[in-house]
Amino acid sequence: MATRHFLTLKDCSPAELRDIIKRAHELKSLQRSGQPHSSAEGKVMAMIFEKSSTRTRVSFEAGMAQLGGHALFLSPNDTQLGRGEPIEDTAKVISSMVDIVMIRTFEHDRIEKFAADSSVPVINALTDGYHPCQLLADIQAYEEARGSIQGKSIAWVGDGNNMCNSYINAAAQWDFELRIACPEGFEPDAGLLAQHADRILLTRSPSEAVRGTNAVVTDTWASMGQEDEKDNRNQAFEGFQVDDELMSQAASDAVFLHCLPAYRGYEVSAGVIDNPETSIVWEEAENRLHAQKALIEFLLSQ
Ligand code: CP
Ligand code: NVA
């Protein structure tokens, strides 16, 4: 049977994704009540980080330990990847020694190349194109706060980046409407937009996107690798900050989500992200741990 990977949300069926989130809720309860759940005993995960991380590294490493397995951190600085060993060769070798691999890298086709030569499951822990693990945590957080996301209306305000692309995939997989507001020139993937046009609104107006929605989501205006574009981007995104005025146009029980790290005063005001009534960003961040443990169990059981 072909090795299962998790490079985008489309690598799982809607039913499989629902099962993963269901298990994530269970694993969260087990973890909180101190009950053992060592379903990955003796299993080893290689974690390849070609970009920085706080949440992703801690959640995968802690998650593997809690499941009874082990995780090893690999960066280009101290592996032969940084000295130009082909990704395909690296994939063959690493996957011959471990049970599962997690990669955070730049171009999405780099992880596709690795996966093509990997004999074990590969998890996308963020590429320039997608951040599917974050969406598992976001959906879990939304469900905890407000119940099923199916049929709801979600607003994305800001950059049409890797998170926005993953929200488009999530809208299709969990069956919700996505209303995207981004400045001209910062749209999400055109192919994805066209493919899911039936459930997506694309506008230049944050107000139009947010009006009456059940959740408002944003992310940094300058993703990793775009540090040189910061000044230009700050100008281009003027008027796209999620602040109290914008949140007040959403549904009265709307929640605010952000994958973090957040830049208060830019894509979100401090008032919105630090408002415990509506902001669920801390639950969202914690759920990276639980949702990825569920994903690891799923992939190891295929
Ligand atoms: N949200 C997220 O992926 O955070 P890190 O970059 O800290 O891993
Ligand atoms: N869009 C951001 C997400 C960080 C978790 C980035 O790619 O840097």
Side-chain angles (χ1 to χ4, degrees):
M1 212 170 67
T3 306
R4 294 286 301 264
H5 302 297
F6 188 70
L7 306 189
T8 76
L9 291 170
K10 289 186 173 165
D11 285 327
C12 288
S13 68
E16 286 171 336
L17 290 171
R18 274 197 302 276
D19 284 348
I20 290 169
I21 301 296
K22 186 167 169 262
R23 180 63 179 154
H25 291 302
E26 287 167 9
L27 286 166
K28 189 168 185 172
S29 303
L30 291 174
Q31 177 68 21
R32 291 230 163 142
S33 58
Q35 293 179 66
H37 45 279
S38 40
S39 50
E41 219 168 282
K43 303 290 184 189
V44 177
M45 168 181 275
M47 307 191 301
I48 302 174
F49 279 97
E50 298 190 319
K51 288 176 176 171
S52 307
S53 166
T54 297
R55 280 144 288 270
T56 305
R57 177 172 179 186
V58 175
S59 54
F60 272 110
E61 196 162 334
M64 276 306 283
Q66 290 162 8
L67 291 175
H70 182 78
L72 49 123
F73 175 80
L74 303 167
S75 85
N77 296 336
D78 36 47
T79 61
Q80 300 290 1
L81 267 177
R83 298 181 66 250
E85 183 166 12
I87 193 93
E88 294 85 350
D89 295 0
T90 308
K92 285 184 190 121
V93 173
I94 291 182
S95 68
S96 74
M97 300 178 185
V98 303
D99 303 282
I100 190 161
V101 178
M102 180 239 85
I103 307 181
R104 168 167 285 196
T105 189
F106 290 87
E107 299 82 14
H108 189 72
D109 69 356
R110 199 165 157 76
I111 199 169
E112 289 176 335
K113 280 186 193 145
F114 190 105
D117 276 295
S118 172
S119 55
V120 300
V122 175
I123 296 174
N124 179 358
L126 184 146
T127 62
D128 292 346
Y130 299 92
H131 196 5
C133 290
Q134 183 66 53
L135 263 293
L136 299 179
D138 286 30
I139 302 295
Q140 185 182 1
Y142 185 86
E143 284 185 2
E144 285 168 342
R146 299 287 183 263
S148 170
I149 199 165
Q150 185 174 15
K152 296 284 167 63
S153 170
I154 310 299
W156 175 272
V157 178
D159 192 13
N161 61 12
N162 44 8
M163 276 297 298
C164 185
N165 288 335
S166 285
Y167 259 91
I168 296 176
N169 278 344
Q173 299 294 67
W174 276 279
D175 185 24
F176 60 82
E177 183 201 15
L178 186 64
R179 303 169 67 89
I180 301 170
C182 58
E184 217 174 316
F186 297 92
E187 295 83 6
D189 184 90
L192 271 183
L193 276 178
Q195 195 185 344
H196 299 294
D198 55 328
R199 58 175 74 249
I200 293 171
L201 167 91
L202 181 67
T203 170
R204 305 294 169 213
S205 159
S207 295
E208 188 188 3
V210 160
R211 208 166 299 140
T213 53
N214 305 101
V216 179
V217 195
T218 190
D219 184 16
T220 180
W221 291 337
S223 285
M224 289 181 275
Q226 297 172 336
E227 287 76 10
D228 293 349
E229 301 169 32
K230 235 175 197 164
D231 290 344
N232 286 344
R233 283 174 166 268
N234 286 344
Q235 269 180 15
F237 284 92
E238 214 171 293
F240 281 76
Q241 182 182 101
V242 179
D243 57 14
D244 285 320
E245 213 284 306
L246 193 64
M247 279 305 288
S248 72
Q249 297 172 46
S252 55
D253 66 345
V255 292
F256 172 74
L257 289 133
H258 189 311
C259 65
L260 307 179
Y263 299 89
R264 288 168 178 76
Y266 292 88
E267 76 274 10
V268 61
S269 69
V272 167
I273 195 169
D274 297 321
N275 178 353
E277 299 297 315
T278 47
S279 173
I280 56 170
V281 299
W282 309 121
E283 292 82 357
E284 180 187 4
E286 180 190 328
N287 288 346
R288 293 292 304 278
L289 174 70
H290 311 297
Q292 287 159 197
K293 282 161 74 177
L295 175 66
I296 291 165
E297 281 188 347
F298 170 78
L299 289 171
L300 289 178
S301 68
Q302 296 304 303

